[in-house]
């Protein structure tokens, strides 16, 4: 089977083209470096199937970032039958810089001139025939987004793949041309593959190359010393080569572009103007926090734009309405959808009950289906709308190019915590799901930095933890009449973020010491996200959620119901006898573990439910609310009858049945946010950081969640304990400080010894 590789700058549209070719719905966003994973797929529209690989986005083939090394080694070692070089036609010069390097390799190649739809819209045009002649291999105009010309691109690539190609270089006539030719001859004599490419790299003094061919490197150096030291670049051959490439590109390649100048200029300046405000030195981050707050407000608030508070009469009137649209004021769009979903699940529950009664079903079966299975699933499902609304906003922010700016702004701050701005992307993805977020850390250059990031990703509360946040914070408001659900939710997200940052700081100063890698990134111009792409994101999310609801969650619900309705000798005890059930006895056994966290032995009769929910959460976080859904129905029995299936309602009932207080409930949320996230994430983390370190990661998650939750509970219940915690913090900080001083000294000694030798 033929094997084609897609190579291009970040944001040139590789992933979009990859999806168009292979028909997969892989994640598409304008994050630089999203594709560090090697993604493969099959193109099936031709005469024969073709394997297509989406290589990471790179600006050059130098060995400075992992992406560059991955792409370079892939092309050199795997010998793809054809390299498809994707060039963003709206950013021709920068993109062709990579093309001039790819040219030097001995592989068949075609240029896919992408984003030509934008070019057309602007009225710009490129003389493709001339460009093709000058570049030396086929150039095909495409639009990956619209799918234009993608098939003829593949046709040309298939033809091109038939004949081998010898590399050629735009540097032949430059000052370094003779140095390159000499090195090439030397390498040819040694029968090195792709001699021209390696020759150029030798002259550039590329670190990988100098190591592999030390003798030739010395010869090149001597030649340069003799002939070129006195030119403009003073022997800095890397700069000289880059300069020569750009000069050549401007002279021969970008001259084929005819601009309808004004339009593109306007667009660029618009983006620049927006950046003056959005990435402002002082206001940039406050603006980001405000945008985030607005997003949460639109998703969770029952008092949209605080209208109910601004106009008290309106607020009061809303309070009297029992409806989808009004609560403390106008509901936010997220809450309206939530209410609709709830009506729907409530209705289905009723139909099920009526249907089963009609069938004269046995009481146990009715209990099993209505309370056990449907109760749990409905509690989880009711949060789907809000999750989707939240993700819609996140995807919009990502696709417009705003998130890339945030990464850039946060880099300055992140550095103080020992990670680069590159960590921001995985962290933001963590708000969706830890699993892809952990995989995405592969863009990070430094291993220790990466491991530390994998560990804190779960603290960026994922979509599955959202129902816990919503139900428990809603129930706090409902049962105690204190606080405000969207502010509690927002603060819990912040608690997760703060814990993540502190953990990073601690790890990077103790077990994972090391330099923070540099972060270089080009910011794409702002643009309006594509509707189809947004919908694909959402569908992906919804599909994932539904799949889980009807597999893992369903199974858990069945198990919970069985274990909470039967005793160890498998006799059915039903709702009244639940206290003697299997689940209750296990729950009571583990309950004391959670006493320092406020939801252990201090609770009354039914308190074990919180312990069980917390443990079930280690399998999948959706299980926590599903467990409340199933158990509330059982424990509360007749009182509960007729209630709608609603997480908030169930937790409120549980609060009343167990006597848990506010600090303990907050500690319960904190525990769920910071502990072992779920089986899937555990597997992902293990894959990413290796077996040995992984064990410590589990310990780290358990320790952090116990520590922080205990802190939350004790400070909430006995405010004076803050003094104890402060002393502990000071001792830890001092300990870390002196440890680092000691280590720095040791490292400095080791270094000087090495030099001495
Ligand atoms: P990658 O980083 O190279 O994988 O780039 P992506 O495939 O993620 O694309 C970056 C951005 O450019 C996305 O927002 C795409 O929707 C957009 N894009 C990709 N191809 C085209 C195209 O042909 N025309 C237009 N207008 N936008 C495109
Ligand atoms: Mg990509």
């Amino acid at each position: 089977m033929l094997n084609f590789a897609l190579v291009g700058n970040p944001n040139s549209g590789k992933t979009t083209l990859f999806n168009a070719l292979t028909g997969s719905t892989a994640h598409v966003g304008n994050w630089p470096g999203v594709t560090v994973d090697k993604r493969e797929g099959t193109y099936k529209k031709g005469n024969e199937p073709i394997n297509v690989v989406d290589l990471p986005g790179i600006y050059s083939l130098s060995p400075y970032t992992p992406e560059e090394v991955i792409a370079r080694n892939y092309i050199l070692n795997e010998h793809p039958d054809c390299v498809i070089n994707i060039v963003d036609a709206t950013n021709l010069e920068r993109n062709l810089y990579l093309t001039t390097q790819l040219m030097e390799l001995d592989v068949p190649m075609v240029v896919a001139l992408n984003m030509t739809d934008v070019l057309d819209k602007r009225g710009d045009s490129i003389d493709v025939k001339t460009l093709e002649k000058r570049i030396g291999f086929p150039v095909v105009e495409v639009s990956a987004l619209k799918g234009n010309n993608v098939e003829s691109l593949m046709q040309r690539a298939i033809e091109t793949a038939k004949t081998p190609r010898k590399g050629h270089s735009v540097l032949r006539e430059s000052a370094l041309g003779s140095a390159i030719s000499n090195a090439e001859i030397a390498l040819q004599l040694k029968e090195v593959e792709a001699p021209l490419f390696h020759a150029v790299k030798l002259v550039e003094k590329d670190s990988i190359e100098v190591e592999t061919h030390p003798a030739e490197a010395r010869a090149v150096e001597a030649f340069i010393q003799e002939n070129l030291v006195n030119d403009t670049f003073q022997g800095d051959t890397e700069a000289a080569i880059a300069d020569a490439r750009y000069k050549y590109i401007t002279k021969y390649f970008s001259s084929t572009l005819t601009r309808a100048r004004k339009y593109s200029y306007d667009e660029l300046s618009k983006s620049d103007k927006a950046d003056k405000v959005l990435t402002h030195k002082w206001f940039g981050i406050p603006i980001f926090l405000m945008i985030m707050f607005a997003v949460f407000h639109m998703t969770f608030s029952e008092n949209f734009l605080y209208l109910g508070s601004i106009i008290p009469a309106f607020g009061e009137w809303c309070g009297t309405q029992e409806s989808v649209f009004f609560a403390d004021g106008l509901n936010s769009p997220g809450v309206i959808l939530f209410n609709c979903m709830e009506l729907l699940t409530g209705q289905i529950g009723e139909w099920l009950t009526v249907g089963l009664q009609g069938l004269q079903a046995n009481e146990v079966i009715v209990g099993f289906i209505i309370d056990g299975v449907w109760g749990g699933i409905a509690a989880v499902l009711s949060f789907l709308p809000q999750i989707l609304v939240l993700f819609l906003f996140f995807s919009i922010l990502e696709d417009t190019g705003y998130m890339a700016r945030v990464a850039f702004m946060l880099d300055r701050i992140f550095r103080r915590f020992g990670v680069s701005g590159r960590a921001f992307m995985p962290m933001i993805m963590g708000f969706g799901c830890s699993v892809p977020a952990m995989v995405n850390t592969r863009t990070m250059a430094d291993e220790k930095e990466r491991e530390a990031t994998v560990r804190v990703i779960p603290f960026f509360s994922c979509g599955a933890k959202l129902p816990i946040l919503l139900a428990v914070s809603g129930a706090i408001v409902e049962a105690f009449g204190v606080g405000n659900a969207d502010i509690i939710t927002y603060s819990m997200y912040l608690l997760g973020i703060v814990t993540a940052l502190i953990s990073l700081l601690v790890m990077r100063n103790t077990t994972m010491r090391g330099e923070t890698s540099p972060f270089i990134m080009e910011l794409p111009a702002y643009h309006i996200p594509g509707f189809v792409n947004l919908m694909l994101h959402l569908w992906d999310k919804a599909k994932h959620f539904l799949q889980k609801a009807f597999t893992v969650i369903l199974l858990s619900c069945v198990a919970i119901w069985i274990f909470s309705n039967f005793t160890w000798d498998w006799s059915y005890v039903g709702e009244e006898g639940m206290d003697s059930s299997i689940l209750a006895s296990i729950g009571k056994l583990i309950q004391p573990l959670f006493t320092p966290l406020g939801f252990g032995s201090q609770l009354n009769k039914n308190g074990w439910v919180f312990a069980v929910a917390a443990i079930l959460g280690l399998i999948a976080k959706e299980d926590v609310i599903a467990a409340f859904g199933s158990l509330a129905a059982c424990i509360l029995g007749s009182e509960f009858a007729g209630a709608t299936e609603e997480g908030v309602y169930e937790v409120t009932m549980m609060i009343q049945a167990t006597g848990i207080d506010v600090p303990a409930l907050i500690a319960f949320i904190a525990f769920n946010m910071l502990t072992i996230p779920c089986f899937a994430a555990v597997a992902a983390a293990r894959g990413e950081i290796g077996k040995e370190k992984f064990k410590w990661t589990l310990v780290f998650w358990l320790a952090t969640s116990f520590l922080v939750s205990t802190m939350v509970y004790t400070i909430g219940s006995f405010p004076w304990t803050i003094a104890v915690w402060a002393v502990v913090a000071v001792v830890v900080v001092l300990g870390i400080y002196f440890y680092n001083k000691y280590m720095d000294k040791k490292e400095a000694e080791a270094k000087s010894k090495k030099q001495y030798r």
Side-chain angles (χ1 to χ4, degrees):
M1 188 156 69
L2 285 175
N3 182 26
F4 291 179
L6 304 182
V7 186
N9 286 11
N11 281 303
S12 54
K14 278 183 317 307
T15 306
T16 311
L17 182 63
F18 177 80
N19 288 346
L21 292 174
T22 60
S24 99
T25 55
H27 180 92
V28 186
N30 60 9
W31 275 94
V34 130
T35 2
V36 149
D37 243 347
K38 183 177 105 185
R39 262 193 285 184
E40 293 194 74
T42 313
Y43 173 77
K44 289 185 181 145
K45 288 175 205 146
N47 292 335
E48 50 177 334
I50 293 166
N51 188 49
V52 183
V53 183
D54 184 15
L55 290 180
I58 51 174
Y59 296 115
S60 106
L61 292 173
S62 49
Y64 297 127
T65 68
E67 288 91 338
E68 286 166 354
V69 177
I70 294 170
R72 166 175 166 159
N73 288 348
Y74 186 85
I75 304 170
L76 285 173
N77 304 336
E78 307 292 322
H79 305 287
D81 296 294
C82 184
V83 164
I84 300 181
N85 172 211
I86 297 151
V87 166
D88 174 357
T90 64
N91 204 343
L92 203 59
E93 277 170 35
R94 175 173 257 297
N95 277 257
L96 287 175
Y97 181 68
L98 177 64
T99 310
T100 62
Q101 298 176 56
L102 292 167
M103 233 178 229
E104 287 152 6
L105 289 154
D106 297 341
V107 282
M109 188 145 86
V110 293
V111 166
L113 199 57
N114 194 25
M115 314 252 183
T116 46
D117 56 316
V118 182
L119 222 59
D120 288 348
K121 226 162 74 186
R122 289 181 184 173
D124 297 352
S125 65
I126 291 178
D127 178 355
V128 177
K129 283 247 163 62
T130 309
L131 184 62
E132 195 170 86
K133 234 187 278 156
R134 292 183 182 170
I135 284 184
F137 38 75
V139 176
V140 184
E141 284 184 290
V142 300
S143 165
L145 193 68
K146 306 249 149 89
N148 297 346
N149 251 355
V150 168
E151 247 120 81
S152 48
L153 169 72
M154 287 306 271
Q155 214 41 57
R156 291 291 287 276
I158 292 166
E159 283 161 25
T160 310
K162 282 179 195 149
T163 36
R165 188 181 71 87
K166 275 265 155 250
H168 60 281
S169 176
V170 301
L171 301 168
R172 292 280 191 212
E173 275 140 52
S174 73
L176 289 163
S178 49
I180 293 169
S181 300
N182 287 346
E184 189 187 5
I185 292 165
L187 293 172
Q188 268 165 347
L189 288 176
K190 276 179 76 179
E191 295 190 358
V192 171
E193 271 186 45
L196 176 59
F197 173 79
H198 290 290
V200 174
K201 289 284 154 200
L202 264 183
V203 174
E204 261 182 6
K205 299 178 198 163
D206 173 298
S207 59
I208 296 182
E209 216 61 50
V210 171
E211 229 165 82
T212 24
H213 305 292
E216 286 75 13
R218 275 195 297 274
V220 168
E221 185 57 34
F223 182 87
I224 292 167
Q225 289 299 333
E226 222 167 279
N227 300 296
L228 293 160
V229 189
N230 295 322
D231 79 347
T232 359
F233 291 96
Q234 311 273 317
D236 182 349
T237 47
E238 196 179 355
I241 286 182
D243 181 69
R245 287 192 199 279
Y246 271 118
K247 284 204 174 114
Y248 194 95
I249 291 169
T250 321
K251 192 164 168 199
Y252 295 106
F253 297 162
S254 40
S255 53
T256 59
L257 170 72
T258 321
R259 269 186 213 276
R261 207 169 194 105
K262 204 169 152 289
Y263 189 89
S264 61
Y265 176 78
D266 277 358
E267 195 192 53
L268 243 178
S269 72
K270 255 191 230 153
S271 220
D272 283 349
K273 267 185 204 151
D275 268 344
K276 278 220 170 86
V277 181
L278 292 175
T279 61
H280 186 273
K281 205 166 157 205
W282 300 110
F283 308 134
I285 290 176
I287 290 175
F288 169 62
L289 291 178
M290 261 154 48
I291 291 177
M292 285 323 235
F293 186 78
V295 165
F296 280 83
H297 185 72
M298 293 215 265
T299 316
F300 303 124
S301 180
E302 298 197 335
N303 192 351
F304 191 53
L305 303 174
Y306 296 107
L307 286 177
S309 315
I310 297 167
I311 314 165
F314 176 66
E316 259 162 51
W317 176 81
C318 292
T320 63
Q321 299 290 307
E322 278 275 325
S323 101
V324 168
F325 295 99
F326 307 102
D328 302 335
L330 195 59
N331 281 334
S332 63
V335 175
I336 293 174
L337 291 171
F338 171 86
N339 289 340
C340 294
M341 183 62 145
E342 210 161 70
L343 285 180
L344 181 71
T345 51
Q347 189 60 55
I348 295 176
E350 251 169 58
W351 285 333
L352 275 176
T353 316
V354 172
L356 288 169
Q357 277 162 356
L359 291 173
Q360 312 236 309
N362 170 302
E363 173 209 359
V364 180
I365 294 186
V366 176
F368 173 68
I369 295 180
I370 302 296
D371 300 336
V373 179
W374 184 244
I377 289 188
V380 174
L381 275 188
S382 62
F383 292 101
L384 179 61
Q386 271 167 315
I387 289 173
L388 291 186
V389 171
L390 193 64
F391 283 100
L392 177 66
F393 287 127
F394 275 151
S395 308
I396 291 174
L397 290 177
E398 194 184 316
D399 284 359
T400 50
Y402 178 66
M403 286 305 199
R405 265 99 180 153
V406 177
F408 171 75
M409 285 192 289
L410 287 176
D411 186 56
R412 263 185 304 158
I413 298 177
F414 275 25
R415 246 157 230 292
R416 308 212 172 133
F417 294 93
V419 289
S420 79
R422 272 176 185 251
F424 176 69
M425 173 56 186
M427 286 173 181
I428 274 288
M429 285 177 81
F431 285 125
C433 175
S434 296
V435 174
M438 285 174 177
V439 175
N440 196 261
T441 55
R442 289 181 202 166
T443 50
M444 300 180 68
D446 182 81
E447 261 316 288
K448 285 182 180 160
E449 192 181 331
R450 181 165 110 87
E451 282 156 19
T453 308
V454 167
R455 286 187 176 176
V456 300
I457 279 173
F459 300 168
F460 296 84
S461 183
C462 77
K465 293 177 186 168
L466 194 53
I468 308 177
L469 279 168
L470 293 176
V472 178
S473 59
I476 290 176
V477 177
E478 193 78 31
F480 299 96
V482 293
N484 169 316
D486 53 325
I487 290 181
I488 297 177
T489 308
Y490 194 58
S491 342
M492 292 315 283
Y493 270 88
L494 284 182
L495 174 76
I497 295 170
V498 169
T499 310
L501 292 179
I502 294 176
S503 313
L504 279 176
L505 197 61
V506 170
M507 281 189 279
R508 295 290 278 155
N509 282 293
T510 55
T511 55
M512 299 187 171
R513 281 163 49 91
E515 297 275 312
T516 304
S517 54
F519 180 50
I520 309 160
M521 183 179 68
E522 195 196 12
L523 298 178
Y526 286 106
H527 62 259
I528 297 173
F531 179 76
V532 175
N533 252 345
L534 282 178
M535 290 304 118
L536 271 179
H537 279 255
L538 284 191
W539 169 237
D540 247 16
K541 201 82 235 152
K543 195 172 65 181
H544 187 72
F545 190 88
L546 290 173
Q547 263 169 4
K548 237 173 154 187
F550 288 99
T551 51
V552 183
I553 319 286
L554 179 74
L555 280 178
S556 306
C557 287
V558 170
I560 293 168
W561 189 89
I562 292 174
F563 292 133
S564 60
N565 280 278
F566 286 89
T567 57
W568 286 103
D569 51 17
W570 295 114
S571 58
Y572 177 72
V573 285
E575 289 162 6
E576 282 71 38
M578 186 159 162
D579 213 40
S580 53
S581 66
I582 298 176
L583 198 64
S585 64
I586 297 177
K588 284 171 192 163
L589 200 68
I590 53 175
Q591 200 178 354
L593 275 179
F594 298 101
T595 306
L597 287 66
F599 50 97
S601 307
Q602 61 270 73
L603 303 184
N604 62 28
K605 189 169 143 253
N606 295 314
W608 56 268
V609 169
F610 281 93
V612 167
I615 296 293
L616 284 171
L618 306 183
I619 302 171
K621 283 290 173 281
E622 290 91 339
D623 274 348
V624 175
I625 292 304
F628 283 137
S630 306
L631 293 174
C634 295
I635 293 183
L636 301 163
S638 52
E639 263 173 78
F640 190 74
T644 52
E645 327 280 353
E646 177 182 350
V648 175
Y649 183 78
E650 280 129 12
V651 181
T652 311
M653 291 287 113
M654 297 306 302
I655 291 172
Q656 280 153 10
T658 58
I660 193 169
D661 58 6
V662 177
L665 285 166
I666 304 270
F668 179 75
I669 306 182
F671 177 80
N672 280 295
M673 281 187 52
L674 304 175
T675 199
I676 296 175
C678 65
F679 276 13
V682 163
R686 187 162 179 239
E688 291 307 314
I689 60 187
K691 217 163 156 189
E692 187 49 38
K693 292 240 175 61
F694 165 73
K695 278 186 215 145
W696 287 106
T697 303
L698 290 183
V699 173
F700 167 77
W701 285 335
L702 287 172
T704 312
S705 56
F706 268 95
L707 194 74
V708 176
S709 304
T710 305
M711 195 150 84
V712 167
Y713 175 65
T714 51
I715 294 176
S717 305
F718 320 101
W720 58 267
T721 51
I722 211 168
V724 178
W725 289 106
V727 171
V728 172
V730 170
V731 170
V732 170
V733 169
L734 283 177
I736 292 176
Y737 175 76
F738 285 113
Y739 171 78
N740 267 284
K741 258 190 134 168
Y742 168 76
M743 288 304 281
D744 284 345
K745 210 171 116 198
K746 232 171 82 173
E747 271 161 25
E749 269 167 21
K751 215 174 183 178
S752 66
K753 241 187 226 153
K754 206 168 155 195
Q755 269 171 7
Y756 182 71
R757 249 198 284 145

